[in-house]
């Protein structure tokens, strides 16, 4: 293949030189137990027993660190960190900005967030401060400076856990001004802004910057370019606040890595932009296991997220939080069934995590999280099922040090952009009762997951050239440059797969005027003339053409969205069965240069279609699979490699026992060192790590 590819390093250094093994531990809140010094001593004994080597500490400790304005109290934290150091336990030290002390809200109400309705919140909860407030920023600088001065050389500290789960937005006057400044920097003139936002519509033209406001239900919501820019601004302003937080940390302790704990497919922040300024990605995973007989749906969703977080920096990430047993904020707090703790923890490792961490170490005695899963339950000792699961996983991780820093060799990628997501959901039509963008992305991912195809989740500004297969689900917002990059990718020998509702608008949410799919029309050899939104009960079907070049056959159900396309040089592989567009193309392929560009014009509902389709695409494009064997439904395999060895994590999410025939004579079980021959038997929630030479 003539395509150039940028080689990725195969093995990364440990996240901290102080702890060159898998990090295993939890969020730790000793400030809730300062009245009972016995607890700290007991915690240390139990941490060692649980094979825990790291804790995230101080996340919500502002009131204990600065009980009164300007009065600091660090002795308790000194004691905890010193005790850690004496006992071989390390710490991600948090900045406490995720929640403020009451004295601060009382004295400086401007630190409190203003909602869309322009009403300021009362003190309470957490994660609800204004990101722009000069007072809050000043308080954060003072606190973070003190922490960095006091602890950055502490032997127990491995890095900074900056704030907690950034998110949300504020509509206060400071934020409105910051939004206007952001727009001035972006557009330079009101004329340019009015053009980009198409404000002549409904006479929405702005004639002074002061007229521009954040979107509000009782104000402006209909200017899509404005809504999109507000989302971009909120994301940028949050990142700006983070940069402000780390300024003293980086100045005083440039050697310590900074992380922020992210959330699964979080809507409000463009994590790809955020990733540029954090040193190591970490995230918090709370799957709802055991809702159905098979956990394959939930398992693949979390696999997708792990892949996304790994792809953000293309290097190992951290599982910062996960529950050791139940999650108390979910509609139903179901316990992890036997095996699931190991399976779900090692799933993160399989996808590139170099840590397994929990929320939380010890259950709090009161308040809203007292029933959330923890390593140590209210009973206070180690003789619990959950503790045993955790300790046993700690032992497993300790035996897997050779996997640390290895990468996931992905030759397939799925395109997923935040601004596309925001724009797609904001659009009115073609299906306001459910456009199901994320579900569409997941339909593609799930098929690759079932096939055991390691996959990166990338953005429009990433390099496509290292991949053999690029999947582009519903790229509604598609820039001209991205289209050109995709064209080059195909010409150079890549396989491109694009779905309906792609190439509709540009980066300002203005429609492409050259016929949809806009910048991809030539590459795909199709023109999408119209799109039909279907009612929930409407059905159509895709009939695959006899002898089509993919060798697919049969009829598959279609629902929700049907685009009417014309093949302009592309070959038709399948057509509609029903309605006035029966016989018109649904699936096409265009050969361009050395590659192929496929287009799917309608939402096929059946997973079996995607499995058959991706099975062929992967085979044709020569895309690497973890195991070259048929995997039972709900069983997947994910590889990590150091270039010399591959570690294949075979995971059973099917909810029943499964047998996997191996694709070569023998492997080594990476946990036991024993030879594995012919096939493996996986119990319900079973996982095996197979090692082989590359
Ligand atoms: C989030 C937070 C934690 C805790 C957990 C509970 O991820 O970061 O502080 O509230 O949820 O699941
Ligand atoms: Zn604000």
């Amino acid at each position: 293949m003539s395509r150039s590819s940028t080689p990725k390093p195969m093995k990364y250094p440990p996240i901290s030189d102080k702890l060159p093994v898998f990090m295993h531990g939890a969020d730790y809140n000793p400030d809730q137990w300062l009245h009972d010094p016995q607890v700290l001593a007991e915690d240390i004994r139990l941490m060692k027993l649980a094979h825990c080597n790291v804790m995230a500490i101080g996340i919500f400790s502002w009131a204990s660190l600065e009980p009164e304005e300007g009065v600091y109290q660090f002795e308790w934290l000194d004691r905890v960190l010193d005790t850690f150091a004496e006992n071989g336990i390390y710490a991600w030290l948090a900045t406490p900005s995720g929640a403020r002390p009451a004295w601060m809200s009382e004295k400086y109400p401007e630190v409190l967030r203003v909602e869309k309705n322009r009403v300021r919140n009362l003190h309470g909860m957490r994660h609800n401060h204004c990101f722009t407030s000069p007072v809050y920023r000043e308080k954060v600088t003072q606190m973070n400076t003190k922490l960095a001065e006091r602890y950055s050389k502490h032997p127990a500290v491995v890095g900074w856990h900056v704030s907690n789960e950034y998110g949300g937005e504020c509509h206060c006057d400071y934020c409105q001004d910051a939004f206007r400044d952001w727009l001035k920097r972006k557009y330079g003139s009101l004329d340019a802004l009015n053009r980009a936002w198409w404000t002549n519509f409904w006479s929405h033209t702005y004639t002074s910057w002061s007229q521009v406001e954040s979107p509000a239900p009782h104000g402006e919501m209909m200017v899509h370019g404005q809504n999109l820019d507000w989302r971009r601004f909120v994301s940028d302003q949050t990142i700006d606040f983070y940069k402000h937080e780390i300024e003293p940390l980086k100045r005083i302790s440039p050697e310590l890595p900074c992380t922020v704990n992210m959330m699964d497919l979080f809507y409000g922040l463009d994590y790809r932009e955020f990733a540029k300024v954090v040193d190591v990605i970490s995230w918090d995973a709370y799957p709802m296991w055991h809702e159905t007989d098979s956990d394959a749906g939930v398992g693949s969703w979390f696999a997708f997220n792990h892949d996304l977080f790994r792809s953000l920096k293309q290097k190992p990430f951290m599982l910062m939080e996960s529950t050791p047993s139940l999650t108390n904020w979910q509609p139903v707090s179901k316990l992890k069934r036997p095996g699931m703790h190991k399976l779900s923890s090692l799933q993160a490792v399989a996808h590139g995590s170099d840590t397994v961490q929990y929320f939380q170490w010890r259950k709090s005695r009161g308040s809203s999280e007292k029933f959330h899963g923890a390593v140590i339950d209210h009973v206070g000792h180690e003789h619990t099922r959950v503790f045993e699961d955790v300790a046993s996983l700690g032992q497993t991780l300790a035996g897997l040090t050779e996997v640390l820093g290895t990468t996931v060799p992905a030759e397939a990628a799925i395109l997923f952009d935040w601004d596309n997501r925001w724009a797609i959901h904001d659009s009115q039509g073609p299906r306001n009762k459910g456009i199901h963008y994320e579900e569409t992305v997941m339909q593609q991912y799930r098929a690759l997951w079932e096939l055991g195809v390691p996959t990166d989740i990338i953005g429009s500004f990433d390099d496509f050239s290292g991949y053999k297969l690029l999947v582009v689900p519903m790229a509604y917002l598609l820039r001209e440059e991205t289209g050109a990059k995709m064209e080059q990718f195909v010409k150079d020998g890549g396989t491109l797969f694009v779905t309906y509702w792609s190439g509709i608008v540009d980066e300002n949410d203005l429609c492409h005027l050259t016929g949809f799919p806009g910048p991809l029309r030539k590459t795909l050899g199709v023109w999408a003339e119209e799109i039909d939104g279907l009612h929930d009960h409407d059905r159509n079907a895709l009939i695959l053409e006899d002898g089509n070049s993919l060798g697919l056959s049969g009829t598959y159900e279609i629902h929700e969205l049907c685009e009417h396309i014309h093949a302009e040089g592309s070959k038709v592989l399948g057509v509609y069965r029903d309605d006035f567009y029966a016989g018109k193309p649904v699936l096409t392929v265009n050969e361009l240069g050395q590659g192929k560009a496929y287009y799917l014009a309608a939402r096929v509902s059946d997973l079996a279609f995607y499995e058959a389709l991706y099975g062929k695409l992967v085979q044709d494009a020569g895309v690497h699979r973890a195991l070259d064997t048929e995997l039972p439904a709900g069983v997947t395999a994910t590889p990590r490699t150091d270039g010399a060895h591959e570690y294949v994590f075979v995971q059973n999410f099917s909810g029943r026992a499964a047998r996997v025939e191996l694709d070569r004579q023998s492997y080594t079980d990476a946990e036991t060192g024993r030879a594995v021959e012919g096939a493996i038997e996986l119990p319900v929630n079973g996982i095996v790590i197979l090692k082989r030479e590359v």
Side-chain angles (χ1 to χ4, degrees), residues 302-335:
F302 280 85
F304 175 87
N305 278 279
H306 289 311
D307 282 345
L308 168 73
F309 288 112
R310 181 193 67 251
S311 303
L312 290 182
K313 286 191 95 72
Q314 293 288 359
K315 64 176 194 183
F317 61 93
M318 303 170 64
L319 178 63
M320 181 61 84
E321 291 181 27
S322 60
T323 181
S325 58
L326 58 80
T327 304
N328 80 325
W329 48 261
Q330 290 170 347
V332 171
S333 301
K334 200 154 182 176
L335 298 176

Side-chain angles (χ1 to χ4, degrees), residues 110-114 120 129-133 169-176 230 237:
E110 69 161 73
V111 303
L112 297 168
R113 207 169 274 186
V114 172
R120 197 178 293 282
H129 53 273
C130 170
F131 291 114
T132 312
S133 150
E169 56 191 55
C170 174
H171 298 257
C172 77
D173 290 344
Y174 286 122
C175 288
Q176 301 293 350
W230 170 251
Q237 190 69 355

Side-chain angles (χ1 to χ4, degrees), residues 115-130:
E115 297 295 332
K116 282 196 191 75
N117 60 7
R118 309 309 193 244
V119 175
R120 197 178 293 282
N121 288 337
L122 302 179
H123 178 77
M125 313 293 283
R126 60 175 177 175
H127 301 160
N128 55 4
H129 53 273
C130 170

Side-chain angles (χ1 to χ4, degrees), residues 16-31:
S16 170
D17 290 339
K18 291 180 183 172
L19 195 53
V21 294
F22 274 96
M23 291 188 191
H24 182 226
D27 281 14
Y28 183 44
N29 303 303
D31 39 325

